[in-house]
Short mmCIF file of all heavy atoms in Angstrom, two decimals:
data_model
loop_
_atom_site.label_atom_id
_atom_site.label_comp_id
_atom_site.label_asym_id
_atom_site.label_seq_id
_atom_site.Cartn_x
_atom_site.Cartn_y
_atom_site.Cartn_z
N MET A 15 141.19 -61.59 196.62
CA MET A 15 140.95 -61.03 195.30
C MET A 15 142.29 -60.79 194.63
O MET A 15 143.22 -60.32 195.23
CB MET A 15 140.18 -59.71 195.42
CG MET A 15 139.95 -59.06 194.09
SD MET A 15 139.19 -57.43 194.12
CE MET A 15 137.57 -57.80 194.73
N GLN A 16 142.36 -61.11 193.37
CA GLN A 16 143.56 -60.87 192.57
C GLN A 16 143.32 -59.70 191.64
O GLN A 16 142.21 -59.51 191.14
CB GLN A 16 143.92 -62.10 191.75
CG GLN A 16 144.34 -63.27 192.58
CD GLN A 16 144.76 -64.44 191.69
OE1 GLN A 16 144.72 -64.39 190.47
NE2 GLN A 16 145.15 -65.53 192.33
N THR A 17 144.35 -58.92 191.42
CA THR A 17 144.28 -57.79 190.50
C THR A 17 145.21 -58.07 189.33
O THR A 17 146.35 -58.46 189.52
CB THR A 17 144.71 -56.50 191.20
OG1 THR A 17 143.86 -56.28 192.31
CG2 THR A 17 144.64 -55.32 190.26
N ILE A 18 144.69 -57.86 188.12
CA ILE A 18 145.47 -58.06 186.91
C ILE A 18 145.40 -56.79 186.07
O ILE A 18 144.32 -56.24 185.86
CB ILE A 18 144.92 -59.24 186.08
CG1 ILE A 18 144.98 -60.53 186.88
CG2 ILE A 18 145.68 -59.37 184.77
CD1 ILE A 18 144.30 -61.69 186.21
N THR A 19 146.54 -56.31 185.63
CA THR A 19 146.59 -55.15 184.75
C THR A 19 146.97 -55.63 183.37
O THR A 19 147.94 -56.38 183.20
CB THR A 19 147.64 -54.13 185.25
OG1 THR A 19 147.31 -53.74 186.57
CG2 THR A 19 147.68 -52.91 184.35
N ILE A 20 146.20 -55.22 182.37
CA ILE A 20 146.46 -55.62 180.99
C ILE A 20 146.71 -54.35 180.17
O ILE A 20 145.87 -53.45 180.15
CB ILE A 20 145.26 -56.39 180.39
CG1 ILE A 20 144.96 -57.63 181.22
CG2 ILE A 20 145.53 -56.75 178.93
CD1 ILE A 20 143.70 -58.36 180.80
N ASN A 21 147.85 -54.28 179.53
CA ASN A 21 148.18 -53.15 178.66
C ASN A 21 148.10 -53.63 177.21
O ASN A 21 148.78 -54.59 176.84
CB ASN A 21 149.59 -52.63 178.95
CG ASN A 21 149.70 -52.09 180.35
OD1 ASN A 21 148.88 -51.30 180.78
ND2 ASN A 21 150.70 -52.53 181.07
N ILE A 22 147.27 -52.96 176.41
CA ILE A 22 147.08 -53.36 175.01
C ILE A 22 147.29 -52.14 174.13
O ILE A 22 146.65 -51.10 174.33
CB ILE A 22 145.66 -53.93 174.79
CG1 ILE A 22 145.40 -55.10 175.74
CG2 ILE A 22 145.49 -54.37 173.35
CD1 ILE A 22 143.98 -55.59 175.74
N ASP A 23 148.17 -52.27 173.17
CA ASP A 23 148.52 -51.14 172.30
C ASP A 23 147.73 -51.17 170.98
O ASP A 23 147.89 -50.30 170.15
CB ASP A 23 150.03 -51.18 172.00
CG ASP A 23 150.52 -49.87 171.41
OD1 ASP A 23 149.93 -48.83 171.69
OD2 ASP A 23 151.52 -49.92 170.66
N ASN A 24 146.87 -52.15 170.80
CA ASN A 24 146.13 -52.32 169.56
C ASN A 24 144.63 -52.16 169.87
O ASN A 24 144.08 -52.92 170.67
CB ASN A 24 146.43 -53.71 168.99
CG ASN A 24 145.67 -54.02 167.73
OD1 ASN A 24 144.46 -53.92 167.68
ND2 ASN A 24 146.41 -54.44 166.71
N ASP A 25 143.99 -51.17 169.27
CA ASP A 25 142.58 -50.89 169.56
C ASP A 25 141.66 -52.07 169.26
O ASP A 25 140.72 -52.34 170.01
CB ASP A 25 142.10 -49.66 168.80
CG ASP A 25 142.71 -48.37 169.33
OD1 ASP A 25 143.18 -48.36 170.49
OD2 ASP A 25 142.70 -47.36 168.60
N GLN A 26 141.90 -52.77 168.16
CA GLN A 26 141.05 -53.91 167.81
C GLN A 26 141.19 -55.02 168.82
O GLN A 26 140.19 -55.63 169.23
CB GLN A 26 141.38 -54.42 166.41
CG GLN A 26 140.90 -53.50 165.31
CD GLN A 26 141.21 -54.06 163.94
OE1 GLN A 26 142.26 -54.68 163.73
NE2 GLN A 26 140.30 -53.85 162.99
N LEU A 27 142.40 -55.29 169.25
CA LEU A 27 142.61 -56.32 170.26
C LEU A 27 142.00 -55.89 171.59
O LEU A 27 141.39 -56.70 172.29
CB LEU A 27 144.11 -56.61 170.43
CG LEU A 27 144.45 -57.67 171.48
CD1 LEU A 27 143.77 -59.00 171.17
CD2 LEU A 27 145.96 -57.84 171.58
N ALA A 28 142.11 -54.63 171.94
CA ALA A 28 141.52 -54.12 173.19
C ALA A 28 140.00 -54.33 173.18
O ALA A 28 139.42 -54.72 174.20
CB ALA A 28 141.86 -52.65 173.36
N GLU A 29 139.36 -54.09 172.04
CA GLU A 29 137.92 -54.31 171.93
C GLU A 29 137.57 -55.78 172.13
O GLU A 29 136.59 -56.11 172.82
CB GLU A 29 137.40 -53.82 170.58
CG GLU A 29 137.35 -52.31 170.46
CD GLU A 29 136.83 -51.87 169.10
OE1 GLU A 29 136.04 -52.61 168.48
OE2 GLU A 29 137.21 -50.77 168.67
N LYS A 30 138.36 -56.67 171.55
CA LYS A 30 138.11 -58.11 171.70
C LYS A 30 138.28 -58.56 173.16
O LYS A 30 137.45 -59.32 173.68
CB LYS A 30 139.06 -58.92 170.81
CG LYS A 30 138.78 -58.80 169.34
CD LYS A 30 139.80 -59.59 168.54
CE LYS A 30 139.57 -59.45 167.04
NZ LYS A 30 140.56 -60.20 166.26
N VAL A 31 139.34 -58.08 173.80
CA VAL A 31 139.58 -58.45 175.20
C VAL A 31 138.46 -57.91 176.08
O VAL A 31 137.95 -58.61 176.96
CB VAL A 31 140.96 -57.94 175.66
CG1 VAL A 31 141.14 -58.09 177.16
CG2 VAL A 31 142.07 -58.67 174.92
N ASN A 32 138.06 -56.68 175.84
CA ASN A 32 136.98 -56.07 176.63
C ASN A 32 135.68 -56.84 176.43
O ASN A 32 134.94 -57.09 177.39
CB ASN A 32 136.81 -54.60 176.26
CG ASN A 32 135.92 -53.88 177.25
OD1 ASN A 32 136.08 -54.03 178.45
ND2 ASN A 32 134.99 -53.10 176.74
N TRP A 33 135.38 -57.23 175.21
CA TRP A 33 134.17 -58.01 174.91
C TRP A 33 134.19 -59.32 175.70
O TRP A 33 133.20 -59.70 176.32
CB TRP A 33 134.09 -58.30 173.41
CG TRP A 33 132.95 -59.17 173.03
CD1 TRP A 33 131.67 -58.77 172.74
CD2 TRP A 33 132.96 -60.60 172.89
NE1 TRP A 33 130.89 -59.87 172.43
CE2 TRP A 33 131.66 -61.01 172.53
CE3 TRP A 33 133.94 -61.57 173.04
CZ2 TRP A 33 131.33 -62.34 172.32
CZ3 TRP A 33 133.60 -62.89 172.83
CH2 TRP A 33 132.31 -63.27 172.48
N PHE A 34 135.34 -60.00 175.69
CA PHE A 34 135.47 -61.26 176.40
C PHE A 34 135.30 -61.06 177.91
O PHE A 34 134.56 -61.80 178.57
CB PHE A 34 136.84 -61.88 176.11
CG PHE A 34 137.10 -63.15 176.87
CD1 PHE A 34 136.47 -64.33 176.51
CD2 PHE A 34 137.96 -63.16 177.96
CE1 PHE A 34 136.68 -65.50 177.22
CE2 PHE A 34 138.18 -64.33 178.66
CZ PHE A 34 137.55 -65.50 178.30
N LEU A 35 135.95 -60.04 178.45
CA LEU A 35 135.86 -59.78 179.89
C LEU A 35 134.44 -59.41 180.32
O LEU A 35 133.99 -59.79 181.39
CB LEU A 35 136.85 -58.69 180.29
CG LEU A 35 138.33 -59.05 180.15
CD1 LEU A 35 139.20 -57.83 180.47
CD2 LEU A 35 138.69 -60.23 181.03
N GLU A 36 133.74 -58.66 179.50
CA GLU A 36 132.36 -58.29 179.80
C GLU A 36 131.50 -59.53 180.00
O GLU A 36 130.59 -59.54 180.84
CB GLU A 36 131.76 -57.42 178.69
CG GLU A 36 132.30 -56.00 178.65
CD GLU A 36 131.83 -55.14 179.80
OE1 GLU A 36 130.76 -55.41 180.38
OE2 GLU A 36 132.55 -54.18 180.14
N HIS A 37 131.79 -60.59 179.26
CA HIS A 37 131.01 -61.82 179.38
C HIS A 37 131.32 -62.59 180.66
O HIS A 37 130.59 -63.51 181.04
CB HIS A 37 131.23 -62.72 178.15
CG HIS A 37 130.52 -62.21 176.94
ND1 HIS A 37 131.03 -61.22 176.14
CD2 HIS A 37 129.31 -62.54 176.42
CE1 HIS A 37 130.18 -60.96 175.17
NE2 HIS A 37 129.13 -61.75 175.31
N LEU A 38 132.38 -62.25 181.34
CA LEU A 38 132.74 -62.90 182.59
C LEU A 38 132.20 -62.18 183.83
O LEU A 38 132.37 -62.66 184.95
CB LEU A 38 134.27 -63.04 182.69
CG LEU A 38 134.92 -63.91 181.63
CD1 LEU A 38 136.43 -63.88 181.79
CD2 LEU A 38 134.40 -65.34 181.70
N LYS A 39 131.55 -61.05 183.63
CA LYS A 39 130.99 -60.31 184.77
C LYS A 39 129.98 -61.14 185.56
O LYS A 39 129.93 -61.05 186.78
CB LYS A 39 130.34 -59.00 184.30
CG LYS A 39 131.31 -57.90 184.02
CD LYS A 39 130.56 -56.63 183.68
CE LYS A 39 131.47 -55.44 183.60
NZ LYS A 39 130.72 -54.21 183.31
N ASN A 40 129.19 -61.95 184.87
CA ASN A 40 128.20 -62.78 185.55
C ASN A 40 128.85 -63.84 186.44
O ASN A 40 128.21 -64.38 187.34
CB ASN A 40 127.27 -63.46 184.55
CG ASN A 40 126.36 -62.48 183.86
OD1 ASN A 40 126.08 -61.40 184.37
ND2 ASN A 40 125.89 -62.84 182.68
N ASP A 41 130.12 -64.12 186.19
CA ASP A 41 130.85 -65.09 187.00
C ASP A 41 131.58 -64.43 188.17
O ASP A 41 132.31 -65.09 188.90
CB ASP A 41 131.87 -65.85 186.14
CG ASP A 41 131.19 -66.72 185.09
OD1 ASP A 41 130.09 -67.23 185.37
OD2 ASP A 41 131.76 -66.88 184.00
N GLY A 42 131.41 -63.12 188.31
CA GLY A 42 132.00 -62.41 189.44
C GLY A 42 133.18 -61.53 189.10
O GLY A 42 133.80 -60.95 189.99
N LEU A 43 133.50 -61.40 187.82
CA LEU A 43 134.60 -60.54 187.41
C LEU A 43 134.22 -59.08 187.59
O LEU A 43 133.12 -58.66 187.23
CB LEU A 43 134.97 -60.79 185.95
CG LEU A 43 136.10 -59.93 185.39
CD1 LEU A 43 137.43 -60.35 185.99
CD2 LEU A 43 136.14 -60.03 183.88
N GLU A 44 135.11 -58.30 188.17
CA GLU A 44 134.90 -56.86 188.31
C GLU A 44 135.92 -56.16 187.43
O GLU A 44 137.12 -56.43 187.52
CB GLU A 44 135.08 -56.42 189.76
CG GLU A 44 134.93 -54.93 189.96
CD GLU A 44 135.21 -54.51 191.40
OE1 GLU A 44 135.88 -55.27 192.12
OE2 GLU A 44 134.78 -53.42 191.77
N ILE A 45 135.46 -55.27 186.57
CA ILE A 45 136.34 -54.53 185.68
C ILE A 45 136.41 -53.09 186.18
O ILE A 45 135.39 -52.42 186.31
CB ILE A 45 135.82 -54.56 184.23
CG1 ILE A 45 135.71 -56.00 183.73
CG2 ILE A 45 136.73 -53.73 183.31
CD1 ILE A 45 135.01 -56.14 182.40
N VAL A 46 137.63 -52.64 186.49
CA VAL A 46 137.84 -51.28 186.99
C VAL A 46 138.98 -50.67 186.18
O VAL A 46 140.02 -51.31 185.99
CB VAL A 46 138.23 -51.30 188.49
CG1 VAL A 46 138.48 -49.89 189.00
CG2 VAL A 46 137.17 -51.99 189.32
N SER A 47 138.77 -49.45 185.72
CA SER A 47 139.84 -48.79 184.97
C SER A 47 140.99 -48.46 185.92
O SER A 47 140.81 -48.31 187.13
CB SER A 47 139.34 -47.51 184.30
OG SER A 47 139.12 -46.51 185.26
N LYS A 48 142.18 -48.35 185.37
CA LYS A 48 143.35 -48.02 186.18
C LYS A 48 143.16 -46.67 186.86
O LYS A 48 143.51 -46.50 188.03
CB LYS A 48 144.60 -48.01 185.30
CG LYS A 48 145.86 -47.76 186.08
CD LYS A 48 147.09 -47.86 185.19
CE LYS A 48 148.35 -47.60 185.99
NZ LYS A 48 149.54 -47.72 185.19
N GLU A 49 142.58 -45.71 186.16
CA GLU A 49 142.34 -44.39 186.72
C GLU A 49 141.39 -44.47 187.92
O GLU A 49 141.62 -43.84 188.95
CB GLU A 49 141.78 -43.43 185.66
CG GLU A 49 142.76 -43.09 184.55
CD GLU A 49 142.88 -44.18 183.49
OE1 GLU A 49 142.06 -45.13 183.47
OE2 GLU A 49 143.82 -44.09 182.69
N ASP A 50 140.31 -45.25 187.77
CA ASP A 50 139.37 -45.41 188.88
C ASP A 50 140.03 -46.10 190.06
O ASP A 50 139.79 -45.75 191.22
CB ASP A 50 138.14 -46.22 188.45
CG ASP A 50 137.23 -45.45 187.50
OD1 ASP A 50 137.39 -44.22 187.39
OD2 ASP A 50 136.36 -46.09 186.88
N SER A 51 140.88 -47.05 189.79
CA SER A 51 141.58 -47.78 190.84
C SER A 51 142.48 -46.84 191.63
O SER A 51 142.52 -46.88 192.86
CB SER A 51 142.40 -48.92 190.23
OG SER A 51 143.12 -49.59 191.23
N GLU A 52 143.21 -45.98 190.92
CA GLU A 52 144.09 -45.02 191.59
C GLU A 52 143.28 -44.04 192.44
O GLU A 52 143.66 -43.71 193.56
CB GLU A 52 144.94 -44.25 190.57
CG GLU A 52 145.93 -45.11 189.81
CD GLU A 52 146.96 -45.78 190.72
OE1 GLU A 52 147.42 -45.14 191.68
OE2 GLU A 52 147.30 -46.95 190.47
N ASP A 53 142.14 -43.58 191.91
CA ASP A 53 141.27 -42.68 192.66
C ASP A 53 140.76 -43.34 193.94
O ASP A 53 140.71 -42.72 195.00
CB ASP A 53 140.08 -42.22 191.81
CG ASP A 53 140.48 -41.27 190.70
OD1 ASP A 53 141.62 -40.75 190.74
OD2 ASP A 53 139.66 -41.05 189.79
N LEU A 54 140.37 -44.61 193.84
CA LEU A 54 139.88 -45.34 195.01
C LEU A 54 140.97 -45.51 196.06
O LEU A 54 140.70 -45.41 197.26
CB LEU A 54 139.30 -46.69 194.60
CG LEU A 54 138.01 -46.64 193.81
CD1 LEU A 54 137.65 -48.04 193.29
CD2 LEU A 54 136.88 -46.09 194.65
N LYS A 55 142.19 -45.76 195.63
CA LYS A 55 143.31 -45.88 196.57
C LYS A 55 143.53 -44.58 197.30
O LYS A 55 143.76 -44.56 198.52
CB LYS A 55 144.58 -46.30 195.84
CG LYS A 55 144.59 -47.74 195.39
CD LYS A 55 145.86 -48.05 194.64
CE LYS A 55 145.81 -49.44 194.03
NZ LYS A 55 146.99 -49.72 193.21
N LEU A 56 143.49 -43.45 196.58
CA LEU A 56 143.67 -42.15 197.21
C LEU A 56 142.55 -41.84 198.19
O LEU A 56 142.77 -41.31 199.28
CB LEU A 56 143.77 -41.05 196.15
CG LEU A 56 145.01 -41.09 195.26
CD1 LEU A 56 144.87 -40.08 194.12
CD2 LEU A 56 146.25 -40.80 196.09
N LEU A 57 141.32 -42.17 197.80
CA LEU A 57 140.18 -41.95 198.67
C LEU A 57 140.28 -42.79 199.94
O LEU A 57 140.03 -42.31 201.05
CB LEU A 57 138.88 -42.27 197.92
CG LEU A 57 137.58 -42.05 198.67
CD1 LEU A 57 137.44 -40.59 199.09
CD2 LEU A 57 136.40 -42.46 197.81
N LYS A 58 140.68 -44.03 199.78
CA LYS A 58 140.83 -44.93 200.93
C LYS A 58 141.87 -44.38 201.90
O LYS A 58 141.71 -44.48 203.12
CB LYS A 58 141.21 -46.33 200.48
CG LYS A 58 141.32 -47.31 201.61
CD LYS A 58 141.69 -48.69 201.14
CE LYS A 58 141.83 -49.63 202.32
NZ LYS A 58 142.38 -50.90 201.94
N ALA A 59 142.94 -43.81 201.39
CA ALA A 59 144.01 -43.28 202.23
C ALA A 59 143.51 -42.13 203.10
O ALA A 59 144.04 -41.89 204.18
CB ALA A 59 145.18 -42.83 201.37
N THR A 60 142.48 -41.42 202.65
CA THR A 60 141.97 -40.29 203.43
C THR A 60 141.04 -40.73 204.56
O THR A 60 140.72 -39.93 205.43
CB THR A 60 141.21 -39.29 202.54
OG1 THR A 60 140.03 -39.92 202.02
CG2 THR A 60 142.08 -38.78 201.42
N ARG A 61 140.62 -41.96 204.57
CA ARG A 61 139.69 -42.43 205.59
C ARG A 61 140.24 -42.32 207.00
O ARG A 61 139.49 -42.13 207.95
CB ARG A 61 139.30 -43.89 205.32
CG ARG A 61 138.60 -44.09 204.02
CD ARG A 61 137.18 -44.35 204.25
NE ARG A 61 136.49 -44.43 202.98
CZ ARG A 61 135.28 -44.84 202.89
NH1 ARG A 61 134.64 -45.24 203.94
NH2 ARG A 61 134.68 -44.85 201.72
N ASP A 62 141.54 -42.44 207.16
CA ASP A 62 142.14 -42.39 208.49
C ASP A 62 142.56 -40.99 208.90
O ASP A 62 143.04 -40.78 210.02
CB ASP A 62 143.36 -43.32 208.55
CG ASP A 62 142.95 -44.77 208.35
OD1 ASP A 62 141.83 -45.14 208.74
OD2 ASP A 62 143.77 -45.54 207.81
N GLU A 63 142.40 -40.02 208.01
CA GLU A 63 142.78 -38.65 208.33
C GLU A 63 141.75 -38.02 209.25
O GLU A 63 140.56 -38.34 209.21
CB GLU A 63 142.91 -37.81 207.06
CG GLU A 63 144.06 -38.23 206.18
CD GLU A 63 144.16 -37.39 204.92
OE1 GLU A 63 143.34 -36.46 204.75
OE2 GLU A 63 145.05 -37.67 204.11
N GLU A 64 142.23 -37.10 210.07
CA GLU A 64 141.33 -36.38 210.97
C GLU A 64 140.46 -35.45 210.14
O GLU A 64 140.91 -34.85 209.16
CB GLU A 64 142.15 -35.56 211.97
CG GLU A 64 141.31 -34.86 213.01
CD GLU A 64 142.17 -34.11 214.01
OE1 GLU A 64 143.31 -34.50 214.23
OE2 GLU A 64 141.66 -33.12 214.56
N SER A 65 139.21 -35.34 210.51
CA SER A 65 138.31 -34.46 209.76
C SER A 65 137.65 -33.48 210.73
O SER A 65 137.61 -33.69 211.94
CB SER A 65 137.25 -35.27 209.01
OG SER A 65 136.46 -35.99 209.93
N ILE A 66 137.16 -32.39 210.18
CA ILE A 66 136.43 -31.40 210.96
C ILE A 66 135.07 -31.17 210.32
O ILE A 66 134.88 -31.47 209.14
CB ILE A 66 137.20 -30.06 211.05
CG1 ILE A 66 137.38 -29.45 209.65
CG2 ILE A 66 138.54 -30.25 211.75
CD1 ILE A 66 137.89 -28.04 209.67
N LEU A 67 134.15 -30.65 211.10
CA LEU A 67 132.84 -30.33 210.56
C LEU A 67 132.96 -29.19 209.54
O LEU A 67 133.78 -28.29 209.70
CB LEU A 67 131.89 -29.92 211.67
CG LEU A 67 131.54 -31.00 212.69
CD1 LEU A 67 130.71 -30.39 213.82
CD2 LEU A 67 130.76 -32.12 212.04
N PHE A 68 132.13 -29.22 208.53
CA PHE A 68 132.17 -28.20 207.50
C PHE A 68 131.87 -26.83 208.09
O PHE A 68 132.48 -25.83 207.70
CB PHE A 68 131.18 -28.53 206.38
CG PHE A 68 131.28 -27.62 205.20
CD1 PHE A 68 132.43 -27.61 204.41
CD2 PHE A 68 130.25 -26.76 204.87
CE1 PHE A 68 132.54 -26.77 203.32
CE2 PHE A 68 130.34 -25.92 203.78
CZ PHE A 68 131.49 -25.92 203.00
N GLU A 69 130.98 -26.78 209.06
CA GLU A 69 130.65 -25.50 209.70
C GLU A 69 131.88 -24.92 210.39
O GLU A 69 132.13 -23.71 210.35
CB GLU A 69 129.51 -25.68 210.72
CG GLU A 69 128.17 -25.99 210.10
CD GLU A 69 128.01 -27.46 209.72
OE1 GLU A 69 128.82 -28.32 210.17
OE2 GLU A 69 127.07 -27.75 208.97
N SER A 70 132.69 -25.76 211.02
CA SER A 70 133.92 -25.28 211.67
C SER A 70 134.90 -24.78 210.63
O SER A 70 135.59 -23.79 210.84
CB SER A 70 134.56 -26.41 212.47
OG SER A 70 133.70 -26.84 213.50
N PHE A 71 134.96 -25.46 209.51
CA PHE A 71 135.84 -25.01 208.43
C PHE A 71 135.44 -23.63 207.95
O PHE A 71 136.28 -22.77 207.75
CB PHE A 71 135.77 -26.03 207.27
CG PHE A 71 136.47 -25.57 206.02
CD1 PHE A 71 137.85 -25.61 205.95
CD2 PHE A 71 135.76 -25.07 204.94
CE1 PHE A 71 138.51 -25.20 204.80
CE2 PHE A 71 136.40 -24.64 203.80
CZ PHE A 71 137.79 -24.71 203.73
N LEU A 72 134.13 -23.41 207.77
CA LEU A 72 133.66 -22.10 207.29
C LEU A 72 133.97 -21.00 208.30
O LEU A 72 134.31 -19.89 207.92
CB LEU A 72 132.16 -22.17 207.01
CG LEU A 72 131.74 -23.00 205.79
CD1 LEU A 72 130.22 -23.02 205.67
CD2 LEU A 72 132.38 -22.47 204.52
N LYS A 73 133.85 -21.29 209.59
CA LYS A 73 134.13 -20.28 210.63
C LYS A 73 135.60 -19.87 210.60
O LYS A 73 135.93 -18.74 210.89
CB LYS A 73 133.78 -20.84 212.00
CG LYS A 73 132.32 -20.94 212.28
CD LYS A 73 132.08 -21.52 213.67
CE LYS A 73 130.62 -21.81 213.89
NZ LYS A 73 130.39 -22.45 215.20
N ASN A 74 136.48 -20.80 210.26
CA ASN A 74 137.92 -20.54 210.34
C ASN A 74 138.58 -20.34 208.98
O ASN A 74 139.80 -20.35 208.88
CB ASN A 74 138.61 -21.71 211.06
CG ASN A 74 138.15 -21.83 212.48
OD1 ASN A 74 138.07 -20.86 213.19
ND2 ASN A 74 137.82 -23.05 212.89
N GLU A 75 137.79 -20.13 207.93
CA GLU A 75 138.40 -20.04 206.60
C GLU A 75 139.22 -18.78 206.40
O GLU A 75 140.06 -18.72 205.53
CB GLU A 75 137.34 -20.20 205.50
CG GLU A 75 136.52 -18.96 205.23
CD GLU A 75 135.59 -19.16 204.04
OE1 GLU A 75 136.03 -19.66 203.00
OE2 GLU A 75 134.42 -18.81 204.18
N ASN A 76 138.98 -17.75 207.18
CA ASN A 76 139.77 -16.51 207.05
C ASN A 76 140.89 -16.59 208.03
O ASN A 76 141.82 -16.10 208.19
CB ASN A 76 138.92 -15.28 207.29
CG ASN A 76 137.83 -15.13 206.23
OD1 ASN A 76 138.04 -15.52 205.08
ND2 ASN A 76 136.70 -14.60 206.59
#
């Protein structure tokens, strides 16, 4: 999978590009906002962290 970031400073042009990209979704294009992408990266990084049961957390919160 390739990732492409497009920065557009013109609202009208951004609307045109978004319209065009929306039409490519049926061909397999996935559109993800930069903010969502950063959130997903942070979430993925936590997958390898050690976790505890919520009940254990509540017992030891004080």
Side-chain angles (χ1 to χ4, degrees):
M15 178 186 293
Q16 293 183 0
T17 301
I18 299 172
T19 302
I20 302 173
N21 297 311
I22 304 172
D23 194 29
N24 178 306
D25 289 340
Q26 287 181 323
L27 179 58
E29 287 180 28
K30 290 178 182 179
V31 170
N32 192 46
W33 176 86
F34 177 74
L35 294 175
E36 288 289 335
H37 286 82
L38 297 176
K39 281 185 171 182
N40 291 337
D41 294 327
L43 179 71
E44 178 184 20
I45 301 171
V46 179
S47 72
K48 184 175 180 179
E49 293 79 11
D50 289 345
S51 178
E52 294 299 321
D53 290 346
L54 290 172
K55 287 178 187 176
L56 293 171
L57 182 60
K58 182 180 178 189
T60 65
R61 298 253 175 170
D62 296 329
E63 293 179 2
E64 185 178 333
S65 61
I66 62 169
L67 295 174
F68 187 66
E69 291 81 14
S70 298
F71 171 76
L72 289 177
K73 286 180 188 176
N74 296 314
E75 78 175 314
N76 296 328

